[in-house]
Amino acid sequence: MSAPTRAADRGHARLVVALLVMLLPLGAVRAARGATGPDAGERLLEEARRAATDHEFAGVVVVEWVEGGRWHRERVAVSGESGILEVGRERRLLGRDEHRLVEGPDGWLLLWSDRPSAPSPAAKYELRVGPGPLVAGRATRLVEAVLAGEVRERSYVDAESGLLLRREVLDADGRVVRVVGFVSVSGLRPATGGSSEPWPDDVEPSAPEPVEELDDPFRAPETAGDGYGLVARHRHADGTLQLFYSDGVFGISVFEQRGRLDARRLPAGGRVDEVAGDEAHRYPVPGGEVLVWEGDELVFTCVGDAPIEDLRTFAEDLAREPEPGILTSLARAVLAPFRWG
Amino acid sequence: MSGPPVPEDGLSGYLDGELTPAERAEVEDRLETSPEWRAILAEVTEARAAVRGLPVREAPSGFWDAVLSRGAEERPVERSRRWQVLAPIAATAAAAAVLVAVLLPGRETVTPAVPALVDAHAAEASVAADPISRLAPIGVPVGLGR
């Protein structure tokens, strides 16, 4: 064999190896989508998390939620290109890796720049995987998260790309209370690079910073509610503490602010609710539920995509008086008379 | 000018509209003729306005029950003897407590910026889970005053 021929063979061998390396992840992805083993549901959900930024597509998503006893329905344009996810035309949001930006009147605002690590959904839920219906004209795999025999969430994953095409949230009685799903999607393929819209470089940094130590009276229990574990805690520039909890399927953020609640300036449209005997204000929003109440020296705002029963149980748990230390008890006893009103 | 002693109670009743027509006429008569009565009326009026302008403070729950039960537990003789010693201290402490309670600012009031907190939650949740289903709802330009 002549030298040029051997060189050509080595070149072909390298090409074959490179193709195999490129195809291996694709094979693993396909295997996950077709798998029915005990980990299949978890792998499909993890793949869906990455697929939104690993693929190019353009589509329309419908958001449906219940508010005031009525179903509401809104359409949102969504597209992905070169790892940049764009959501909404009237209110644009961008996502790449762990960065989340929202476009405001003065430019882009950085909402988030950290990667929390959620617990495994299989630790709390039974994940059932099976063939799903067509969603936006595409074949799907259905992943049901089941708790105590009741389906609490349905995820419809695109059978080819792994993109999550539809998500349904159900309450404890098995009723669907929230839906986010594609009604149309086109050009769905693996991302190739070369974005027509570059990542903005004039971003105002306002993302919260990770926080290690907490001062009294802030609290951050490691677990709360029905199986929600503390995943991350961050401090916003104005001093607000943000805690993020997850049970692997749903997420709940707790925002703690020192002071007394001035409820007169809360957004209109809230409903009166109750948390641990204290009056609370409840806001159903397109993405979930919000509870605001005043506890011991703190104002709490809980935001979650979990059904309201989960959020209430979580809030009741959080509102329980923590066991104070001796110095804290002494300081509170001395200062108590001066905290009237 | 010397006259009958000034009845501050009468002036309070006058200000509160609690006097009979005859008593009211008598007070108005004295006010017309006595600069001293008019000066005292002005002082009483000013003091009442100042007191009414103070913020209303509620005692913590259980405070009055605790005070009353503590008093009921003590025997009269011990209480009397101890009171002679403690009265000046208690009066000073009470005055200081009232002063501090009035002068110290109350806890700061806050109103959570609910729409911004909903955005912050969605942003974090969209990193931990599927981003489209978590971000699309805050792309909806409705609700919470948006």
Side-chain angles (χ1 to χ4, degrees), chain A residues 49 52 74 91 100 112 164 167 232 242 244 249 251 253 255 257 259-262 265 285 287 297 299 301 303 340, chain B residues 57-58 60 107-112 117 119-121 123-124 126-132 134 136-138 140-141 144:
Chain A
R49 189 181 70 78
E74 291 286 336
R91 191 163 188 271
R100 296 290 180 266
W112 198 258
L164 184 70
R167 180 183 188 230
Q242 179 176 0
F244 184 70
V249 170
S253 284
F255 299 89
Q257 295 171 277
R260 301 186 60 213
L261 175 62
D262 182 359
R265 294 167 58 203
V285 292
E297 302 181 50
V299 174
T301 305
V303 186
W340 296 357
Chain B
R57 307 272 177 176
E58 287 183 15
R107 275 186 291 139
E108 188 180 349
T109 57
V110 293
T111 304
L117 300 187
D119 287 357
H121 163 73
E124 180 162 13
S126 73
V127 179
D130 165 65
I132 296 174
R134 269 65 172 187
I138 60 169
V140 174
L144 297 174

Side-chain angles (χ1 to χ4, degrees), chain A residues 311-324:
Chain A
L311 200 65
R312 280 206 192 96
T313 306
F314 181 93
E316 294 272 348
D317 222 8
L318 187 73
R320 282 185 197 144
E321 180 70 20
E323 192 68 35

